[in-house]
Amino acid sequence: MKLSDWARSQGITYKTAYRWFKDGNLPIEAKQMPTGTILVFPPDEGEIGNVALYARVSSSDQKDDLTRQLGRLVEFAAGKGMTVAKTVSEIGSGLNGRRPKLLQLLRDPKVSDIIVEHRDRLARFGSEYIEAALLASGRRLIVVDQSEMRDDLVQDMIDVLVSFCARLYGRRAAKDRAKRGLEAMRDAPGPQDKT
């Protein structure tokens, strides 16, 4: 398959995949043809023991960080001699339990190992439960950087408080807006009031 097709299927840009190829960090076997076309040879779909890379950032303005994060994961896997079958990148909150790409990755029985840079890239809370569930099914979670900074704990607490406040004040604001809307409809002159 062409490098561009493989990059599209992995959710990364061709430019990133080409840079990985030139740097020797492409997670799968690839060969450049005399015409200049780069062909990649992904592992067989039925192959057991596939490794997946998972990268996540919180907001779309961090897309560059997402690309760098994936690059570090690719380098780690290549350094360990692992064959990467899938790269998954996602933009979403670590507190959100409904990240479709992560859920799809966790449901895939062909993926034996999931590599993440930090535990909080997988989930802000409860990554231990995900790891235990993977181990119970004979799979592994590999965390590249085990260290956790104190600032992350403070940020986790802030994230939880913001989430609770948004729910509390969001409901109140919606209720107030509905109330003001109903009052405005009652006070507005209707078609029968035009005399």
Side-chain angles (χ1 to χ4, degrees), residues 120-181:
D120 72 339
R121 295 298 96 197
L122 183 68
R124 282 284 189 187
F125 298 107
S127 63
E128 295 83 9
Y129 300 122
I130 296 171
E131 184 174 16
L134 288 171
L135 284 172
S137 63
R139 300 159 68 197
R140 293 187 304 168
L141 173 66
I142 300 170
V143 181
V144 174
D145 188 359
Q146 291 285 349
S147 67
E148 185 174 356
M149 298 176 357
R150 293 281 181 215
D151 292 342
D152 288 345
L153 296 175
V154 172
Q155 186 60 42
D156 288 344
M157 194 59 166
I158 291 170
D159 290 343
V160 169
L161 289 173
V162 166
S163 174
F164 288 150
C165 289
R167 287 182 182 178
L168 175 68
Y169 297 123
R171 285 188 198 146
R172 186 177 296 158
K175 185 177 176 182
D176 290 344
R177 280 194 303 267
K179 184 178 173 183
R180 284 193 306 261

Side-chain angles (χ1 to χ4, degrees), residues 44-116:
D44 185 23
E45 279 296 316
E47 184 179 311
I48 300 298
N50 290 331
V51 175
L53 307 177
Y54 180 76
R56 179 193 64 80
V57 293
S58 298
S59 61
S60 58
D61 62 338
Q62 297 174 313
K63 284 185 180 180
D64 292 338
D65 294 337
L66 188 62
T67 303
R68 286 190 293 272
Q69 191 180 141
L70 269 176
R72 289 188 295 270
L73 292 174
V74 165
E75 287 176 20
F76 175 81
K80 298 285 185 183
M82 298 175 166
T83 302
V84 176
K86 203 181 264 193
T87 58
V88 178
S89 60
E90 195 161 40
I91 297 173
S93 170
L95 295 172
N96 185 355
R98 295 187 193 106
R99 285 177 274 145
K101 292 181 179 180
L102 175 61
L103 293 174
Q104 183 180 12
L105 183 63
L106 293 172
R107 287 184 189 121
D108 190 351
K110 296 176 193 156
V111 175
S112 64
D113 299 327
I114 300 173
I115 302 175
V116 295

Side-chain angles (χ1 to χ4, degrees), residues 15-45:
K15 185 177 177 181
T16 299
Y18 182 72
R19 188 177 69 246
W20 290 351
F21 173 75
K22 284 296 184 189
D23 294 343
N25 292 330
L26 200 63
I28 60 173
E29 185 183 346
K31 181 180 179 182
Q32 189 164 19
M33 305 307 289
T35 60
T37 302
I38 300 171
L39 296 179
V40 295
F41 306 99
D44 185 23
E45 279 296 316

